[in-house]
Amino acid sequence: MGHLPSMRLLISHLHWSSSSSSTTLFSLRPLFSIPTFHKLYFLFPLSLKPCNPRTKTTVSHPRLTPNDTTLVLKKDERLESRSVNPEHIEGTSTTTIAAIVTSLGGPPSAVGIVRLSGPEAVAIVARVFRPARRKKGKTLGSGSWRPTSHVVEYGVVLDHHGNVVDEVLAIPMLAPRSYTREDVVELQCHGSEVCLRRVLRACLESGARLAEPGANHSENKLKDTEGEFTLRAFLNGRLDLSQAENVGKLISAKSIAAADAALAGIQGGFSSLVRSLRIQCIELLTDIEARLDFDDEMPPLDLNLIMDKIHGMSRDVENALETANYDQLLQSGLQIAIIGRPNVGKSSLLNAWSKNVQSERAIVTEIAGTTRDVVEASVSIHGIPVTLLDTAGIRETDDIVEKMGVERSEAVAISADVTIMTISALDGWTSEDNKLFNRILSNKKRFVESSTPVILVVNKIDCAPSACTDLFVEGNSFSKPIFTCAVTGQGISDLESAILEIVGLNRIPAGGRRWTVNQRQCEQLVRTKEALARLKSSIEEEIPLDFWTIDLREAALALGQISGEDISEEVLTNIFGKFCIGK
């Protein structure tokens, strides 16, 4: 009975369609559940196949096969199911873009690359590129370049006056065997910024459009985002959205672990998990909706099997969420402040820690208060980029310059992710150390909501080894002091292990995680987790099946946000606007 209004509307559409060819079955799809929709498909005559209302031409759509409960796509139809219409993105598929894709601004490199992508990429390059002579006494004329895909050709680039601007290698990658699944041509030039800009200018004068924010960027159109090459790869089905985000991570990776995690994401590690979870949600939703429509004709649901499936999905989501903290550390790294009284070996510790990476960063003397400003050094711990901050010795002083250094030291200690409290093995834990420590803790409570972990380091153990066993820290809750010698490097590995443990990375495999999730993906995984939890509660409380479908749809939509199956234009603009120009 519940379908009577929809049936009346369907019949009226069928009657009206005899005089109008623009009505399609797919325009009625929102009126029915998925099983009902496909069971009604046979009611339509062949003349009413789905058609494009703009062009009045028949188009194909995915249908359920008799033995399947999932859509079978014979081609990439991602754009037909996504809320972002590529036709609304002006010029995305009809224009050819060009950009310098190698870094500018630093020292000149030997080689630089200008990339073009779009339907006219080959034609534009043919106007500016002249291959070397193939036969003696015979050269190719203007616009007659006929490349073979993925075959490199040597030649020169000419400007619109016919002057040679550079010698290049042209690498054509014809659709769909390219990064964007469009015709792509890369011109390998000399790495001088002058050469690259002259080659790019020649391409732009021949009809290409610059792939960077232009005069219309205030209109918030996707065509003006910086990551337009990767955007096109996403819209053309070359990458899903999570893979596209990992392209950005790989470009900005600061460590080997970050690069490995991003590369694993590009190769589909996380995408395959999301795809599998979404398929399971849709299959379960299909089974339940089928019983809502045809309860008398179908066997009862196996609740134990359904609960097992939901438990497995929830476990996969939890495992993915565990990578979020690791991803944040890979992207932003850790800041570690080394604090303590003057002349306890803070600067020597920083130099010993970073000596395998760079030369000594801090000046070290026997004079107390040598360090007046914050000195930085970069190291890597277990693949995590770490910035070490050597601070001025904290003490009461009348020296104006030293007092400014002390204030900066306290500010750094407040904002750091981890604080290393350094004392000297010669002196042990003194009343001054206790006063300093309480001062730092008091400042943290005033300015920071969450407490920063503190590690106690006993330095200079080579000068007083017996003090290591007699050391007693009164009234403080350091779980375990780390004993170091900045001269020999002893204890540095123990200190790194303590840092990994205190930030929760000691459980990470030695090779790091194969892929990680960012904040946006994490939010959608949490949404999925909550939907599955509500679904389990509905089943346990024997709530009607209609309510199960609500939570399953919520989970499927959240997973679709991750992969880009159901994503808004605003989100895409935000994601691809963070990419470097040319990618």
Side-chain angles (χ1 to χ4, degrees):
M1 295 295 292
H3 286 304
L4 284 179
S6 298
M7 289 298 296
R8 291 193 192 100
L9 182 58
L10 172 63
I11 293 170
S12 65
H13 270 264
L14 283 170
H15 175 71
W16 179 79
S17 64
S18 60
S19 59
S20 175
S21 60
S22 63
T23 302
T24 71
L25 172 61
F26 280 77
S27 68
L28 304 176
R29 184 168 186 164
L31 300 175
F32 304 99
S33 63
I34 293 175
T36 304
F37 171 80
H38 287 287
K39 289 179 184 296
L40 291 175
Y41 197 96
F42 72 91
L43 294 175
F44 288 78
L46 294 177
S47 61
L48 292 179
K49 289 182 179 179
C51 66
N52 188 323
R54 293 186 179 183
T55 61
K56 307 295 184 184
T57 57
T58 300
V59 296
S60 60
H61 285 271
R63 295 181 57 185
L64 289 175
T65 62
N67 299 323
D68 291 335
T69 57
T70 57
L71 294 177
V72 179
L73 303 181
K74 294 184 178 180
K75 63 185 182 65
D76 191 338
E77 303 198 5
R78 132 189 342 267
L79 295 178
E80 296 177 11
S81 61
R82 185 183 294 123
S83 60
V84 177
N85 187 342
E87 296 179 6
H88 296 165
I89 306 172
E90 183 182 343
T92 293
S93 58
T94 59
T95 62
T96 298
I97 56 176
I100 299 170
V101 299
T102 44
S103 178
L104 296 176
S109 59
V111 177
I113 298 175
V114 174
R115 175 188 290 163
L116 297 91
S117 178
E120 297 297 317
V122 173
I124 290 172
V125 172
R127 297 179 193 128
V128 301
F129 175 66
R130 297 293 177 270
R133 270 189 274 183
R134 299 187 179 181
K135 292 183 180 180
K136 187 174 182 180
K138 183 178 181 180
T139 60
L140 293 177
S142 174
S144 60
W145 185 50
R146 298 291 182 269
T148 302
S149 186
H150 294 79
V151 174
V152 180
E153 292 192 50
Y154 164 74
V156 296
V157 170
L158 309 178
D159 62 17
H160 66 285
H161 297 299
N163 300 318
V164 175
V165 297
D166 199 8
E167 294 183 357
V168 302
L169 294 177
I171 307 175
M173 292 164 275
L174 305 184
R177 296 170 57 202
S178 71
Y179 179 67
T180 62
R181 282 193 174 172
E182 301 174 333
D183 285 345
V184 172
V185 180
E186 291 188 351
L187 299 174
Q188 291 191 1
C189 320
H190 290 91
S192 162
E193 184 173 344
V194 173
C195 295
L196 287 167
R197 294 197 180 280
R198 292 179 75 186
V199 170
L200 176 62
R201 186 183 302 113
C203 295
L204 297 179
E205 291 173 347
S206 297
R209 173 174 64 78
L210 188 63
E212 67 176 4
N216 296 326
H217 69 277
S218 60
E219 299 178 10
N220 198 29
K221 293 183 178 180
L222 287 178
K223 75 167 188 175
D224 295 317
T225 59
E226 294 181 343
E228 192 169 355
F229 290 98
T230 302
L231 173 63
R232 291 188 176 204
F234 165 68
L235 293 175
N236 293 329
R238 169 68 172 77
L239 305 168
D240 72 13
L241 193 55
S242 66
Q243 290 174 305
E245 288 175 298
N246 276 291
V247 172
K249 286 184 184 180
L250 183 59
I251 294 171
S252 60
K254 300 176 183 177
S255 66
I256 294 175
D260 286 343
L263 193 56
I266 293 173
Q267 293 175 337
F270 179 50
S271 297
S272 61
L273 173 65
V274 171
R275 191 180 307 113
S276 172
L277 290 171
R278 192 166 186 269
I279 288 173
Q280 291 180 69
C281 287
I282 293 174
E283 288 178 346
L284 189 53
L285 181 62
T286 303
D287 287 342
I288 294 173
E289 288 195 333
R291 282 162 177 80
L292 287 174
D293 294 334
F294 309 102
D295 188 33
D296 297 336
E297 303 175 16
M298 303 190 70
L301 289 170
D302 187 340
L303 294 184
N304 291 329
L305 181 61
I306 291 176
M307 289 297 286
D308 289 341
K309 180 177 288 190
I310 295 172
H311 282 304
M313 294 167 63
S314 299
R315 185 171 55 251
D316 288 340
V317 171
E318 285 285 358
N319 291 337
L321 283 171
E322 288 180 359
T323 70
N325 182 50
Y326 185 56
D327 177 79
Q328 185 177 2
L329 291 174
L330 286 178
Q331 303 310 314
S332 58
L334 282 173
Q335 281 200 338
I336 300 178
I338 306 174
I339 66 169
R341 294 182 294 108
N343 217 25
V344 295
K346 299 184 299 300
S347 298
S348 298
L349 181 63
L350 176 130
N351 288 336
W353 207 340
S354 61
K355 68 179 181 181
N356 294 328
V357 180
Q358 51 197 291
S359 59
E360 292 187 353
R361 297 286 296 164
I363 298 173
V364 178
T365 71
E366 296 179 358
I367 303 172
T370 300
T371 303
R372 299 295 183 93
D373 207 345
V374 178
V375 180
E376 296 186 7
S378 298
V379 297
S380 178
I381 301 177
H382 203 67
I384 304 297
V386 173
T387 301
L388 303 177
L389 303 171
D390 176 29
T391 64
I394 299 176
R395 65 176 178 178
E396 296 294 338
T397 177
D398 295 328
D399 188 305
I400 297 177
V401 177
E402 187 177 357
K403 185 179 294 186
M404 293 174 63
V406 170
E407 291 174 355
R408 292 190 179 187
S409 298
E410 293 177 342
V412 165
I414 292 172
S415 61
D417 300 304
V418 177
T419 301
I420 294 178
M421 176 73 182
T422 312
I423 65 174
S424 171
L426 287 169
D427 304 326
W429 184 267
T430 67
S431 59
E432 292 182 358
D433 292 318
N434 197 60
K435 183 178 178 181
L436 186 155
F437 180 68
N438 291 330
R439 181 175 173 180
I440 295 298
L441 290 183
S442 176
N443 289 338
K444 286 181 178 293
K445 290 178 181 179
R446 286 171 53 198
F447 298 104
V448 184
E449 294 182 2
S450 58
S451 60
T452 302
V454 181
I455 298 174
L456 177 64
V457 168
V458 183
N459 198 22
K460 300 185 178 181
I461 59 171
D462 55 322
C463 299
S466 61
C468 300
T469 57
D470 299 333
L471 183 69
F472 177 74
V473 182
E474 181 181 359
N476 293 302
S477 56
F478 297 106
S479 58
K480 179 184 177 182
I482 305 298
F483 302 101
T484 61
C485 174
V487 176
T488 63
Q490 179 183 345
I492 298 296
S493 60
D494 294 335
L495 179 55
E496 292 182 348
S497 298
I499 291 170
L500 292 175
E501 183 177 354
I502 208 167
V503 298
L505 295 179
N506 55 318
R507 296 182 298 275
I508 303 298
R513 295 192 184 275
R514 293 308 302 162
W515 46 261
T516 59
V517 299
N518 61 24
Q519 182 179 352
R520 186 193 72 85
Q521 296 161 353
C522 181
E523 291 172 356
Q524 299 305 321
L525 287 173
V526 169
R527 182 180 163 196
T528 304
K529 174 185 173 182
E530 293 173 348
L532 293 176
R534 290 193 302 269
L535 176 59
K536 286 192 287 186
S537 298
S538 298
I539 295 174
E540 292 168 353
E541 297 171 10
E542 299 182 354
I543 294 177
L545 296 180
D546 304 70
F547 293 91
W548 301 12
T549 62
I550 296 173
D551 296 321
L552 279 170
R553 282 195 182 93
E554 177 73 9
L557 285 172
L559 293 167
Q561 287 275 330
I562 295 174
S563 62
E565 295 292 336
D566 183 16
I567 198 73
S568 69
E569 187 169 317
E570 181 182 359
V571 173
L572 288 183
T573 302
N574 181 52
I575 291 172
F576 290 101
K578 298 175 183 177
F579 278 59
C580 63
I581 296 173
K583 193 59 180 178

